[in-house]
Amino acid sequence: MKEYQKKLRGLLRIVFGRTSYVVLFLLIQIGVLFGIIRWLRDYSLYVYVALILLGGLTCIYIINKQENPSFKLGWIIPILVFPVFGTLLYIMVEADFGSRLYAKRADQLIKDTRAYLKQDKTVEEHLDRADRQERNLARYMSEKGGFPVYEHTSVTYFPSGEEKFERLKEELKKAKKFIFLEYFIVERGIMWDSILEILEQKVKEGVEVRFMYDGMCSLVLLPYRYPRTMEKKGIHCRAFAPIRPMLSTYQNNRDHRKIVVIDGHTAFTGGINLADEYINERKRFGYWKDTAVMLKGDGVRSFTMMFLQNWNIWGREPLSCEPYLTGTGETAEREGTGFVMPYGDTPLDDERVGKYVYMDILYQAKDYVHIMTPYLILDDEMVNALIFAAKRGVEVIIIMPHIPDKKYAFFLAHTYYEELLCGGVKICEFTPGFVHAKVFTSDDEKAVVGTINLDFRSLYHHFECAAYLYNSATVADVEQDFQNTLKQCQEITLETCRSYPLYQKLAGRGLRLIAPLM
């Protein structure tokens, strides 16, 4: 009964809340766009022909543009099928001045804070002696992405949301100076209510708390004015890129990061959001498999800066970084093994850091690359990297969910299965439920745990983050969890792929035409 009432309240909130207002105004704007197109078509044959010619010129422009071929195809097809609408839509997206101003501000903020993330030359020399290729990757990440590699950073791996949740509560209670939280999804329930109770107590103790969540939450999960509610509790709160009733491409760039920073010496990241399904208190798609890591030590500095950079994008007065970059030490917990490189990815530049790290692992692998991802929507470069690794004799295994959260994404992922299987890649589905983990491990030396899925949204459109581990003892924990998860999977074969229903195959193939734009 309680579950029914909760669903009813949620439905009423959607129907009569701001979500309906936003959707209505977006539909009106789309309707106006269609009306203009129809008026132009009916008003004059010459105008219509001119727009058709403009569509041809637009296609030539797209073909010659320096961009991923998948995105070029994703735009050319709509323009050719719907010449007038497709052309005007593309021009509107390209000339979105609001997004350009937002991107310019974000770029300047990131440049202004680069000085706080300089690479320690001693650490770089140590990495160079360990492996020249790893040094080259670290140098790229530092120079292009602004993310140094660190020593003296301990890493704890959590193979489930439940384990991360318990440890997170323990660490939050220890906070003495400040707490930063940045999440993609926040939903009121056991998980968030428990954390919020701790945050309120820490505020009373004089701890500074800053909480940022993606603005998409305000459509369904949180009230639009939720930041005001938090401010009344003494918690500084901000919605990242709030959803507004206007057609703008900036709303396509969501904050998909999950970051917690405590006093500058402890940080968490991974796939786990602040909602009850992530700790299996609510069953939506069977058992929810997710992962996270906790860092203590020097590497926390990068996560602190990632939070501050995104916080300042949506603030009128930038928050000074200096007061938050001095940790409290805890030397006993800083003595981690190997190297740790926390990094973020932004859709506002031309450096696809999340994608490049994954591809570097695939191209450098000698024995194996093991992957967990909830989505598999790939460009040709990533498909080729996966298959080439397998053809070189590297064991490439991808664990996918067996019970999907989004059927359209599942159908789309299935269109890649046969090609990958024929190329030697193994694909297994987690039968107990849904895999939301974003994990790479390779050769007992490397691991990545973070927020970055193998799909276009994560690799191109979203703000993301992760922790890259090299020669860390924690790599063995990540790989052991992969093996434990693999035991609960069924292997997908070519026969499995060919047995999928016809409607599923057709839907997936159709969606693949516009996959880069989804």
Side-chain angles (χ1 to χ4, degrees):
M1 186 65 179
K2 288 183 179 180
E3 185 67 24
Y4 171 77
Q5 291 175 340
K6 183 178 179 182
K7 288 182 179 179
L8 180 61
R9 285 197 300 270
L11 178 62
L12 292 174
R13 195 161 59 239
I14 293 172
V15 173
F16 297 105
R18 191 172 187 276
T19 302
S20 299
Y21 166 77
V22 170
V23 172
L24 176 62
F25 274 79
L26 287 174
L27 289 174
I28 289 173
Q29 291 174 71
I30 294 172
V32 170
L33 182 60
F34 269 107
I36 292 172
I37 292 167
R38 184 174 180 80
W39 178 78
L40 288 172
R41 185 185 66 187
D42 295 339
Y43 185 78
S44 169
L45 176 63
Y46 298 109
V47 173
Y48 186 69
V49 170
L51 286 171
I52 296 293
L53 292 175
L54 180 61
L57 293 173
T58 303
C59 287
I60 294 172
Y61 169 77
I62 292 171
I63 290 170
N64 287 277
K65 188 179 180 183
Q66 289 187 346
E67 193 173 48
N68 187 291
S70 298
F71 284 92
K72 293 181 181 181
L73 188 62
W75 274 115
I76 287 173
I77 289 174
I79 291 173
L80 293 178
V81 176
F82 308 105
V84 180
F85 176 74
T87 301
L88 292 179
L89 180 63
Y90 181 79
I91 292 172
M92 183 195 77
V93 169
E94 280 290 287
D96 192 343
F97 297 109
S99 291
R100 292 177 185 274
L101 290 172
Y102 151 63
K104 185 177 181 180
R105 174 176 170 78
D107 182 61
Q108 188 59 48
L109 283 168
I110 291 172
K111 286 180 179 177
D112 290 344
T113 55
R114 282 286 180 89
Y116 295 107
L117 294 173
K118 292 182 178 179
Q119 178 62 63
D120 185 307
K121 294 301 180 183
T122 302
V123 175
E124 186 178 33
E125 290 171 4
H126 292 170
L127 183 59
D128 186 36
R129 288 199 291 268
D131 190 306
R132 178 63 60 85
Q133 292 290 346
E134 290 300 305
R135 191 283 312 271
N136 290 341
L137 173 64
R139 184 168 290 177
Y140 161 78
M141 295 292 282
S142 178
E143 293 176 358
K144 300 296 184 181
F147 301 106
V149 62
Y150 299 92
E151 294 180 297
H152 310 301
T153 305
S154 67
V155 184
T156 304
Y157 177 73
F158 303 102
S160 71
E162 297 91 311
E163 293 182 52
K164 184 251 186 171
F165 177 47
E166 293 303 319
R167 186 60 182 270
L168 175 59
K169 288 188 292 184
E170 292 177 15
E171 296 297 328
L172 288 172
K173 291 174 183 177
K174 299 177 186 176
K176 295 180 177 63
K177 294 182 178 180
F178 67 88
I179 297 171
F180 294 158
L181 299 99
E182 179 178 354
Y183 278 91
F184 180 56
I185 290 174
V186 181
E187 184 175 10
R188 289 169 291 189
I190 293 171
M191 187 179 192
W192 173 233
D193 291 350
S194 300
I195 290 173
L196 183 56
E197 184 179 347
I198 296 171
L199 297 180
E200 290 182 65
Q201 179 58 39
K202 299 313 292 186
V203 168
K204 292 176 183 177
E205 295 172 10
V207 174
E208 179 183 344
V209 179
R210 295 184 182 272
F211 167 49
M212 179 165 56
Y213 61 90
D214 184 74
M216 190 71 74
C217 287
S218 62
L219 283 181
V220 179
L221 302 178
L222 295 175
Y224 179 65
R225 304 197 183 280
Y226 196 63
R228 292 187 183 180
T229 303
M230 293 293 101
E231 294 287 346
K232 290 177 181 177
K233 298 176 183 291
I235 297 170
H236 304 284
C237 185
R238 191 163 288 171
F240 185 95
I243 299 297
R244 297 190 174 97
M246 65 179 72
L247 290 174
S248 174
T249 55
Y250 95 84
Q251 297 183 137
N252 190 42
N253 303 133
R254 308 316 313 170
D255 183 4
H256 195 242
R257 294 176 180 177
K258 294 93 180 168
I259 295 174
V260 177
V261 178
I262 302 168
D263 290 345
H265 59 62
T266 300
F268 290 82
T269 193
I272 301 158
N273 282 296
L274 299 178
D276 286 352
E277 60 264 34
Y278 293 86
I279 56 173
N280 287 289
E281 286 290 342
R282 179 186 176 199
K283 298 292 183 182
R284 294 185 65 198
F285 314 106
Y287 180 81
W288 191 289
K289 167 63 182 174
D290 222 324
T291 61
V293 287
M294 177 182 70
L295 278 61
K296 284 182 177 286
D298 295 351
V300 175
R301 186 181 184 90
S302 286
F303 280 118
T304 306
M305 285 306 308
M306 280 184 243
F307 175 89
L308 291 169
Q309 287 168 351
N310 270 3
W311 178 270
N312 285 336
I313 287 176
W314 292 100
R316 294 182 180 178
E317 295 184 7
L319 189 66
S320 175
C321 301
E322 196 71 42
Y324 306 100
L325 294 176
T326 304
T328 59
E330 297 194 11
T331 54
E333 297 191 74
R334 292 172 63 249
E335 294 302 322
T337 59
F339 302 87
V340 180
M341 183 168 57
Y343 62 96
D345 198 2
T346 166
L348 305 179
D349 59 22
D350 294 324
E351 296 298 330
R352 307 303 174 194
V353 174
K355 175 183 172 181
Y356 294 158
V357 170
Y358 283 165
M359 292 184 68
D360 187 77
I361 292 173
L362 287 164
Y363 283 124
Q364 299 299 330
K366 303 177 184 68
D367 299 317
Y368 72 82
V369 178
H370 294 159
I371 302 166
M372 284 193 276
T373 180
Y375 311 115
L376 198 68
I377 307 174
L378 311 172
D379 62 15
D380 291 339
E381 292 174 319
M382 188 62 72
V383 169
N384 291 337
L386 289 163
I387 291 176
F388 182 58
K391 286 183 176 180
R392 290 191 292 109
V394 175
E395 179 184 70
V396 181
I397 305 176
I398 302 174
I399 292 180
M400 288 280 293
H402 187 67
I403 303 175
D405 66 333
K406 302 178 183 71
K407 287 197 173 181
Y408 71 87
F410 201 47
F411 295 167
L412 187 49
H414 283 174
T415 66
Y416 295 90
Y417 278 15
E418 191 166 343
E419 181 180 3
L420 293 172
L421 291 172
C422 289
V425 177
K426 294 181 181 179
I427 300 173
C428 300
E429 291 184 355
F430 179 68
T431 53
F434 182 63
V435 170
H436 191 254
K438 306 94 166 57
V439 167
F440 266 58
T441 58
S442 180
D443 297 346
D444 296 336
E445 292 179 339
K446 308 172 188 177
V448 172
V449 181
T451 69
I452 308 169
N453 299 316
L454 277 178
D455 67 356
F456 283 97
R457 296 221 61 78
S458 273
L459 299 177
Y460 288 92
H461 299 307
H462 284 167
F463 288 84
E464 304 281 0
C465 66
Y468 179 94
L469 315 179
Y470 176 70
N471 274 353
S472 167
T474 311
V475 172
D477 298 331
V478 183
E479 174 59 20
Q480 184 59 56
D481 179 47
F482 181 92
Q483 294 299 331
N484 293 339
T485 306
L486 192 62
K487 293 173 184 176
Q488 303 175 70
C489 295
Q490 69 174 41
E491 186 171 349
I492 303 300
T493 64
L494 290 174
E495 288 72 24
T496 309
C497 296
R498 291 160 187 166
S499 68
Y500 293 141
L502 180 60
Y503 77 88
Q504 181 177 318
K505 294 178 181 178
L506 292 175
R509 293 294 174 185
L511 288 168
R512 192 159 172 174
L513 292 174
I514 57 171
L517 308 181
M518 291 174 63

